[in-house]
Amino acid sequence: MKTEFISEVAADTRSLSVDVEITDPAWRGMLPDPAALCRHTLSAAFGLLDYPPRAYEVSVLLSDDAAQQALNARYRGKDSSTNVLSFPSGESADTGFPDEMPLPLGDISLAYETLVREADAGGLSFADHFCHLLVHGMLHLAGYDHENDDDAEQMEMLEIEVLASIGVDNPYQRGTMALQK
C-alpha cells in the first residue's frame, strides 16, 4: 500500500511530500498508522534542515529483514539486514531539476524485524526507535554522516533536537543506542 502526503504551500516557502510504501503488514500491527508517523517525523526533521524554498519529496519503504538484506548487499556490499538505509537522490536545483516538480531528496528503507530486536534489546518503545531511525535516515539524505566522532556528535545532536520536538526522549541518554554502520 502506498500513502502519499503533499503539503501545499506558497512558492516562497518549503514543502515536503512523503511517499510511504509498506511491504510488510507487520508494521501495521505494531503502529496504528505507520505512514502518518513517517510524515510527522520526517516533517519535523525537514523543518530543522536548511533547504531553500521549493517543494521536496522523500520516499520511505517499510519492509522486512529479507528485503533490507538484499538492498544492503546490493548497494553496500554487506550481506546482512540493517535497521535503516538511506539513498540520497543526488538531485539538486544545480543539476537542472525542474522547479515545478518536487525535488527528490532520496529514499529511506527500514527493516521491521531489526527494529523490533533493537527496541527490545535497548528497552525502547518501538515507535520511539522507529522515529529515531527515520530522523537518522533523513539526516543522511541531507548529507550528514557519522564516519568520525565530530560528525557523529553533530548528527546525534540534530537527532536529539528533532526527536525532542515530537516528544521522543533522547535515545542516547541510556547509553544503549548504537546505530549499525
Side-chain angles (χ1 to χ4, degrees):
M1 174 184 177
K2 287 184 130 181
T3 303
E4 187 173 358
F5 170 75
I6 300 174
S7 56
E8 299 293 333
V9 293
D12 63 341
T13 60
R14 303 176 316 148
S15 67
L16 179 68
S17 68
V18 178
D19 182 44
V20 179
E21 183 171 358
I22 302 171
T23 60
D24 184 340
W27 286 96
R28 285 190 187 83
M30 189 63 84
L31 298 168
D33 190 346
L37 189 52
C38 284
R39 292 189 301 268
H40 177 70
T41 302
L42 293 175
S43 292
F46 180 75
L48 291 179
L49 296 171
D50 189 26
Y51 285 108
R54 74 167 297 152
Y56 297 88
E57 68 182 3
V58 172
S59 294
V60 178
L61 175 64
L62 301 180
S63 191
D64 59 19
D65 275 352
Q68 193 82 332
Q69 180 177 348
L71 289 171
N72 205 21
R74 180 174 180 183
Y75 294 103
R76 296 182 65 223
K78 297 183 178 188
D79 193 22
S80 61
S81 186
T82 189
N83 49 21
V84 62
L85 291 169
S86 298
F87 301 97
S89 73
E91 296 288 354
S92 72
D94 297 339
T95 63
F97 199 84
D99 288 337
E100 63 276 3
M101 296 177 64
L103 182 67
L105 297 177
D107 305 320
I108 300 170
S109 176
L110 295 109
Y112 176 78
E113 298 94 337
T114 298
L115 267 68
V116 168
R117 283 191 304 274
E118 290 177 351
D120 288 347
L124 305 166
S125 86
F126 181 82
D128 287 358
H129 189 49
F130 175 63
C131 291
H132 177 207
L133 293 175
L134 281 170
V135 170
H136 187 84
M138 182 70 167
L139 293 179
H140 277 307
L141 295 183
Y144 290 90
D145 217 324
H146 44 82
E147 295 301 314
N148 64 53
D149 290 344
D150 289 340
D151 290 346
E153 184 176 340
Q154 181 183 20
M155 195 168 174
E156 286 176 13
M157 296 307 291
L158 279 169
E159 289 171 3
I160 292 165
E161 183 178 356
V162 172
L163 292 170
S165 78
I166 60 172
V168 175
D169 290 337
N170 178 350
Y172 300 101
Q173 211 165 13
R174 300 179 188 181
T176 60
M177 188 63 221
L179 292 172
Q180 299 175 7
K181 288 187 182 179

